[in-house]
């Protein structure tokens, strides 16, 4: 009897020990491969395997932190598949938050270098990150600020106790994050060097935890000492770097070897091998998730053998619901700004968020936040929300880093055609009650060269407005850029356009994407050309100059995602110009005229332009483009000067590098369709077809003067483009085949890197 009783006691004790088994889950870093972590967690839940503690590094910190914060595997999957996740993982701004009013004029910049002056020493600072952090910073606040309120900033009080690992940049040692702001902790843990900018927590500058500990199972044992550790590894071992792959080389330099082993008596290691997945391949969600699911299902029987305790899925759901019910909704009352020395600028930032309201909802905050980060005087804004139990609202702390006063931009265009150009700019910024920007730029190349100098003042009033003034010299040499074959005495069309102008303008915002502006300018243009396409070396060109005063009022709306080869958003503009000026013509040897002549011009010009992109499916976008120009402008002295001074239709990047008379007219309708096939967020194939319909087309007389056709529509001209485009982090790379309805060469095959963009003309 005593023997039976003793056996019963032992059996009950063993059973109790088994039932009390605690389980810790450790998730490695590995970039997009960490999607597989979600399927491991899902499989454990479905099989009743408990998760009592969770820890992770980098992507493991994101997945583990979200799960500990009360997000289910289904909710995490929905998040990772969402457009929002794409935007904050790439740093790009959603269409509905692109603030147009403060955007600078388009330029071909690739790289931004900041200049810092300390103790009479000037230092040029290269970019610290490829991906802008503002999207990500706001996303972590949006996702996890209410979680901080529920757990009172103690990670052991989350739905599941959690910690993550970052790297202290100064000491190069692990920084274990177990309390504070959960979003900031995760943000620090996944901040891979060069891709993302390091952040400060408690005075320490932190980077990705994978640098020093990519699999913190040792720390799981130290802090929680669970009975069983389940580890999931998605990281690859160190690779021999390719000589052309800078990121692989940097990864090998900064990443220390990590021990991914778990002693058999301590737990079980799951490993999902994903050798062909790069750091940001989140678009391969289905494949990665499938591999993670296979790994978990393959090992689930072994896990069940080791872990006898079970937790019903309904119990997990109930516990998640109870934890989430503690999360207060995101409404913001008090706003504080850190890092801005100028009190007027701090006041402007606070007013930009609060306006006249006492309490600000998340939706309003988000719009105003993205307006602020569009301000070139602010380098970054990191929002941190603290729940105030006394008011029931959140206090918003904006950790602002002002932009350096001096900045250099470098860019241009590299092409297989002779339209290569370099670009450089220098900006100086200052803030003294209002924002001042003084800027200059230079373009240099065989085809186009330019110099611009000027500045802009932004007034942070209740209705913001700006005043700007610029002086610009432009030169286009279409003869030098021609790639058509020519012989000694037979050459392609000779056209050189020089243009100089001084303009002053002002504008106000109209909503998020629009601005209303007015401009006054004095412009001087000088065109050198031959009036025939066949000329000899000893011939001299005609020279037509036009000195004009221009008044222009317009409305622009822009939400495009790229300044060249856009795939999303829209651009709409309408403008009305009044132009008065004097034309002077000095005839050359190919002219029928023999004496210098002059005449006055006084006319109105109205122009409307629209480009829109419609997302038909995940991989297909349809684009439309339309442009209409009406004017009462009269003919210039001869046909060629008339066409050179007439507006033109340039719907594609390459078309801007040519002068084709068929696509110029004082009155016209132009338009086209674009079919865009997206292979991934950065790579697409675009097919474009455009038509140009001049209204009462300008035609040459026998004496080379111009006249208008009697018919409203007497002719039309076509152009098209097929282009494979890859948007890199610094600019687009493309290979394109362009067709133009014109004499001589019709097809142009070009390989380009960069932007075909120019400074503005005076009119």
């Amino acid at each position: 009897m005593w023997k039976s009783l003793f056996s019963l006691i032992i059996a009950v004790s063993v059973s109790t020990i088994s039932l009390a088994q605690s389980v810790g889950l450790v998730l490695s870093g590995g970039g997009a491969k960490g999607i597989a972590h979600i399927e491991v967690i899902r499989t454990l839940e479905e099989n009743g395997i408990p998760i009592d503690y969770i820890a992770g590094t980098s992507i493991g910190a994101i997945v583990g932190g979200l799960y500990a914060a009360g997000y289910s595997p289904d909710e995490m999957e929905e998040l990772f598949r969402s457009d929002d996740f794409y935007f904050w993982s790439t740093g790009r701004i959603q269409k509905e938050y692109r603030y147009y009013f403060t955007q600078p004029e388009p330029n071909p910049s690739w790289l931004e270098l900041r200049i810092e002056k300390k103790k009479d020493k000037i230092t040029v600072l290269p970019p610290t990150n490829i991906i802008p952090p503002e999207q990500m910073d706001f996303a972590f606040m949006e996702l996890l600020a209410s979680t901080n309120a529920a757990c009172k900033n103690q990670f052991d009080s989350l739905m599941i106790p959690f910690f993550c690992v970052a790297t202290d940049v100064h000491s190069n040692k692990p920084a274990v994050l177990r309390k504070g702001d959960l979003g900031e902790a995760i943000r620090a843990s996944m901040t891979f060097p060069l891709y993302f900018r390091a952040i400060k927590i408690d005075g320490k500058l932190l980077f990705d935890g994978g640098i020093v500990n990519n699999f913190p199972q040792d720390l799981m044992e130290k802090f929680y000492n669970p009975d069983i550790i389940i580890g999931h590894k998605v990281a690859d071992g160190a690779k021999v770097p390719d000589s052309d792959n800078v990121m692989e080389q940097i990864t090998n330099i900064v990443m220390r070897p990590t021990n991914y082993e778990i002693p058999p008596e301590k737990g079980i290691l799951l490993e999902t091998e994903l050798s062909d997945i790069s750091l940001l391949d989140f678009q391969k969600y289905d494949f990665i998730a499938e591999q993670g699911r296979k790994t978990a299902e393959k090992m689930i029987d072994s896990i069940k053998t080791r872990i006898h305790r079970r937790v019903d899925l309904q119990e997990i759901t109930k516990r998640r619901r109870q934890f989430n019910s503690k999360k207060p909704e995101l409404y913001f009352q008090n706003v504080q700004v850190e890092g801005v020395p100028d009190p007027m600028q701090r006041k402007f930032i606070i007013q930009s968020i609060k306006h006249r309201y006492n309490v600000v909802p998340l939706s309003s905050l988000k719009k105003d936040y993205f307006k602020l980060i569009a301000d070139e005087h602010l380098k970054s804004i990191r929002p941190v929300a603290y729940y105030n139990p006394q008011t029931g609202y959140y206090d918003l702390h904006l950790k602002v880093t002002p932009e350096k006063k001096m900045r250099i931009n470098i860019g241009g265009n590299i092409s297989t055609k002779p339209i290569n150009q370099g670009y450089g700019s220098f900006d100086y910024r200052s803030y003294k009650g209002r924002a001042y920007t003084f800027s200059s730029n230079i373009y240099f190349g065989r085809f186009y060269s330019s110099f611009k100098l000027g500045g802009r003042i932004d007034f942070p009033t209740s209705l913001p407005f700006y005043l700007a003034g610029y002086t610009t010299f432009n030169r286009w040499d279409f003869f030098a850029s021609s790639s058509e074959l020519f012989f000694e005495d037979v050459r392609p069309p000779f056209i050189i356009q020089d243009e100089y102008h001084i303009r002053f303008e002002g504008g106000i915002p109209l909503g998020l994407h629009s601005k209303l502006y007015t401009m006054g300018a004095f412009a001087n243009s000088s065109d050198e050309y031959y009036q025939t396409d066949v000329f000899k070396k000893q011939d001299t060109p005609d020279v037509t100059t036009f000195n004009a005063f221009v008044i222009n009022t317009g409305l622009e709306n822009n939400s495009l995602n790229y300044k060249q080869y856009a795939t999303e958003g829209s651009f709409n503009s309408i403008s009305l110009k009044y132009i008065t000026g004097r034309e002077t013509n000095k005839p050359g040897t190919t002219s029928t005229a023999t004496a210098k002549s002059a005449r006055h011009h006084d006319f109105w010009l109205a122009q409307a332009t629209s480009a829109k992109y419609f997302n038909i499916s995940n991989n297909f976008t349809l684009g439309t483009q339309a442009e209409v120009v009406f004017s009462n402008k009269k003919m210039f002295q001869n046909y060629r000067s008339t066409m050179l001074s007439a507006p033109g239709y340039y719907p594609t990047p390459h078309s801007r590098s040519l002068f084709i008379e068929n696509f110029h007219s004082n009155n016209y309708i132009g338009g086209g369709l674009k079919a865009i096939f997206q292979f991934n967020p950065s790579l697409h194939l675009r097919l474009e077809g455009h038509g140009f319909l001049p209204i009462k087309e300008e035609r040459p007389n026998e004496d080379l003067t111009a006249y208008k056709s009697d018919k409203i529509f007497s002719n039309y001209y076509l152009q098209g483009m097929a282009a494979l485009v890859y948007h890199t982090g610094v600019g687009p790379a493309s290979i394109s085949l362009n067709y133009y309805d014109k004499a001589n060469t019709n097809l142009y095959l070009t390989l380009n890197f960069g932007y075909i963009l120019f400074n503005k003309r005076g009119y």
Side-chain angles (χ1 to χ4, degrees):
M1 177 181 176
W2 287 106
K3 186 176 181 181
S4 299
L5 182 61
F6 182 71
S7 298
L8 179 62
I9 291 170
I10 294 218
V12 170
S13 299
V14 170
S15 176
T16 302
I17 291 170
S18 297
L19 289 174
Q21 274 181 314
S22 59
V23 180
L25 178 64
V26 178
L27 306 175
S28 80
K33 300 170 189 176
I35 288 170
H37 292 324
I38 298 174
E39 292 307 309
V40 168
I41 292 173
R42 193 196 306 274
T43 304
L44 294 177
E45 275 195 355
E46 290 172 351
N47 287 273
I49 305 299
I51 302 173
D52 300 299
Y53 312 103
I54 194 163
T57 296
S58 197
I59 186 67
I62 297 177
V63 174
L66 289 172
Y67 187 69
Y71 287 84
S72 69
D74 286 346
E75 289 171 328
M76 287 192 285
E77 177 180 350
E78 182 181 359
L79 173 65
F80 276 80
R81 288 183 181 275
S82 69
D83 290 338
D84 285 343
F85 180 82
Y86 162 74
F87 282 112
W88 65 261
S89 64
T90 59
R92 294 169 182 165
I93 307 296
Q94 297 102 312
K95 180 175 65 176
E96 58 268 30
Y97 299 117
R98 293 171 194 151
Y99 189 46
Y100 181 54
F101 178 67
T102 55
Q103 285 185 18
E105 295 177 358
N107 63 69
S109 173
W110 301 340
L111 182 66
E112 182 175 279
L113 302 173
R114 294 170 175 86
I115 300 175
E116 185 177 55
K117 184 178 180 182
K118 283 185 177 181
K119 297 180 180 179
D120 297 325
K121 183 179 180 181
I122 293 178
T123 305
V124 177
L125 304 174
T128 57
N129 50 285
I130 296 173
I131 298 174
E134 290 81 16
Q135 275 274 21
M136 185 190 312
D137 291 338
F138 194 92
F140 279 130
M141 186 204 72
E142 183 179 356
L143 290 168
L144 298 169
S146 58
T147 301
N148 295 325
C151 74
K152 297 181 180 178
N153 295 97
Q154 299 295 323
F155 299 174
D156 281 353
S157 298
L158 290 164
M159 188 189 91
I160 299 170
F162 165 80
F163 72 85
C164 62
V165 180
T167 299
D168 185 329
V169 175
H170 176 66
S171 67
N172 203 23
K173 292 180 179 179
V176 181
L177 302 171
R178 302 182 62 191
K179 63 180 180 179
D181 187 288
L182 181 60
E184 285 199 319
I186 294 173
R187 162 79 163 83
S189 183
M190 51 74 60
T191 301
F192 193 83
L194 279 192
Y195 279 103
F196 306 105
R197 187 164 64 239
I199 71 168
K200 274 188 177 181
I201 297 179
D202 296 332
K204 294 180 179 179
L205 195 63
L206 302 180
F207 256 140
D208 193 305
I211 296 172
V212 291
N213 190 341
N214 204 33
F215 189 65
Q217 63 89 16
D218 55 334
L219 297 172
M220 170 66 77
E221 189 175 348
K222 175 182 177 181
F223 292 121
Y224 296 128
N225 193 27
D227 297 310
I228 297 289
I229 294 175
I230 300 173
H232 185 218
K233 173 195 172 188
V234 294
D236 292 328
K239 294 180 180 178
V240 177
D242 189 277
S243 59
D244 295 324
N245 193 321
V246 176
M247 291 311 300
E248 279 187 2
Q249 296 168 28
I250 292 171
T251 300
N252 273 262
I253 291 170
V254 302
M255 300 288 281
R256 293 184 194 171
T258 294
N259 179 16
Y260 294 98
E261 299 298 323
I262 299 178
E265 67 276 11
K266 293 291 183 181
I268 301 169
L269 176 66
L270 285 65
E271 185 171 357
T272 302
E273 295 186 3
L274 295 158
S275 57
D276 295 329
I277 304 297
S278 66
L279 189 70
L280 299 176
D281 271 347
F282 291 101
Q283 72 275 10
K284 297 180 181 179
Y285 188 100
D286 289 329
F287 174 75
I288 300 169
E290 181 185 1
Q291 299 307 306
R293 184 83 179 181
K294 286 179 179 178
T295 297
E297 290 177 345
K298 180 181 177 181
M299 297 294 293
I300 195 65
D301 288 339
S302 298
I303 293 171
K304 286 180 176 179
T305 301
R306 295 288 303 274
I307 301 172
H308 305 289
R309 177 175 150 232
R310 297 289 180 268
V311 178
D312 188 72
L313 186 57
Q314 290 183 348
E315 182 182 335
I316 297 173
T317 303
K318 180 181 178 182
R319 185 152 51 103
R320 181 177 292 120
R321 191 181 299 116
Q322 288 174 343
F323 181 78
N324 287 334
S325 68
K326 300 177 185 177
K327 297 178 179 178
E329 283 193 71
L330 290 173
Y331 286 91
F332 303 86
Q333 189 176 61
N334 298 317
V335 179
Q336 295 184 16
V337 176
E338 303 173 18
V340 177
D342 189 295
M344 292 296 292
Q345 193 172 16
R346 287 199 302 272
K347 182 180 178 181
F348 169 67
I349 292 172
I350 293 170
Q351 287 179 341
S352 298
I353 296 293
K354 292 205 68 175
H355 303 288
R356 296 186 181 90
Y357 303 107
N358 182 44
V359 177
V360 180
L362 178 68
S363 57
S364 298
L365 170 64
K366 196 168 186 177
K367 288 182 180 179
D368 291 324
Y369 170 79
F370 283 105
K371 282 185 181 180
L372 283 172
I373 66 172
D375 187 341
E376 289 204 316
H377 289 258
L378 303 176
K379 182 179 179 182
S380 67
I381 304 176
R382 185 153 56 93
V384 181
Y386 299 98
Y387 182 67
N388 188 333
Q390 295 178 343
T391 63
Y393 300 115
Y394 290 83
D395 295 335
L396 180 67
H397 289 239
L398 297 175
K399 299 184 178 182
V400 179
T401 303
E403 188 55 273
K404 303 297 182 186
K405 287 189 175 183
M406 292 179 284
R407 177 184 69 176
I408 294 173
N409 283 292
I410 298 170
N413 182 61
I414 300 172
S415 176
T416 53
K417 297 296 181 183
I419 54 173
N420 299 283
Q421 67 184 36
Y423 170 82
S425 71
F426 174 80
D427 297 329
Y428 179 85
R429 303 184 187 90
S430 178
Y431 196 99
K432 294 179 180 179
R434 55 187 67 94
Y436 297 87
T437 302
F438 302 96
S439 60
S440 64
N441 69 39
I442 184 170
Y443 292 72
F444 48 94
R446 181 175 170 183
F447 163 60
Y448 174 70
S449 53
S450 180
F451 175 74
K452 184 177 84 169
L453 180 67
R456 168 170 165 157
I457 307 173
D458 282 89
F459 295 82
T461 51
S462 55
L463 177 62
F465 69 96
Y466 75 88
L467 297 175
Y470 300 99
T471 180
T472 307
F473 298 84
N474 289 311
R475 181 182 177 89
W476 288 267
D477 189 339
F478 293 95
F479 181 72
S481 68
S482 175
S483 58
E484 299 180 10
L485 297 175
F486 58 88
F487 299 94
E488 182 179 359
D489 291 331
V490 181
R491 301 189 173 215
F494 180 98
I495 297 171
I496 298 175
Q497 292 189 302
D498 290 306
E499 193 257 1
Y500 162 75
H501 70 263
I502 299 174
R503 60 186 165 97
F504 299 94
E505 64 179 78
I508 59 172
L510 294 178
L512 195 67
H513 304 312
S514 303
K515 73 174 182 179
L516 178 68
Y517 68 91
T518 186
M519 180 193 80
F522 170 78
N524 172 270
S525 64
S526 175
D527 298 336
E528 291 185 44
Y529 55 91
Y530 291 105
Q531 294 203 43
T532 61
D533 291 342
V534 178
F535 55 90
K536 297 181 179 180
K537 278 186 175 182
Q538 60 267 31
D539 284 327
T540 58
D542 277 48
V543 178
T544 294
T545 61
F546 185 50
N547 296 318
F549 177 71
V550 184
I551 297 176
N552 180 13
T553 297
L555 175 65
E556 289 184 351
N557 174 284
N558 190 346
S559 61
L560 298 177
N561 58 341
Y562 296 109
K563 53 189 173 184
Q564 190 170 292
Y565 294 120
T567 59
E568 178 194 285
S570 64
F571 174 83
N572 302 285
S573 74
I574 184 168
S575 66
L576 179 63
K577 300 177 184 178
Y578 171 70
I579 303 168
T580 181
R582 181 178 177 83
E583 173 206 1
T584 302
N585 176 254
K586 180 182 178 182
T589 54
T590 59
S591 174
T592 56
T594 57
K596 186 176 180 180
S597 59
R599 67 174 62 171
H600 182 77
H601 291 272
D602 199 41
F603 60 94
W604 295 87
L605 190 150
Q607 183 171 5
T609 302
S610 177
K612 295 184 178 180
Y613 295 89
F614 304 90
N615 184 242
I616 306 301
S617 68
N618 289 335
N619 300 315
F620 179 67
T621 297
L622 180 66
T624 61
Q625 184 142 338
E627 189 167 288
V628 180
V629 170
F630 291 108
S631 76
N632 62 343
K633 180 171 174 281
K634 295 180 180 179
M635 305 295 182
F636 270 34
Q637 296 280 3
N638 57 64
Y639 172 73
R640 180 141 290 177
S641 64
T642 297
M643 304 311 290
L644 283 168
S645 65
Y649 182 54
Y650 303 108
T652 64
H654 182 264
S655 65
R656 297 171 194 155
S657 68
L658 301 174
F659 179 83
I660 307 173
E661 289 176 350
N662 292 354
F663 296 95
H664 282 256
S665 180
N666 289 321
N667 296 274
Y668 67 80
I669 299 172
L673 293 175
K674 311 171 188 181
I676 299 172
F677 304 89
Q678 291 189 293
F679 304 112
N680 61 48
S682 298
L683 178 67
H684 73 266
L685 171 69
R686 61 195 299 135
L687 305 174
E688 298 190 20
H690 297 270
F692 180 80
L693 192 61
I695 301 172
K696 291 194 173 184
E697 183 179 15
E698 294 83 358
R699 292 180 175 176
N701 287 306
E702 288 186 5
D703 63 355
L704 301 181
T705 59
Y707 74 96
K708 281 189 177 182
S709 170
D710 293 331
K711 294 182 179 180
I712 296 178
F713 300 119
S714 59
N715 217 336
Y716 66 89
Y717 303 95
L718 302 176
Q719 64 174 282
M721 180 187 72
L724 186 65
V725 181
Y726 181 75
H727 284 286
T728 70
V730 293
S734 65
I735 180 169
S736 65
L737 181 64
N738 300 269
Y739 167 80
Y740 302 98
D741 191 354
K742 71 180 186 70
N744 300 322
T745 306
N746 299 108
L747 294 174
Y748 294 80
L749 180 65
T750 64
L751 180 63
N752 259 66
F753 178 81
Y755 301 94
I756 304 176
L757 294 171
F758 314 125
N759 280 327
K760 284 187 175 182
R761 291 178 181 259
Y763 70 94

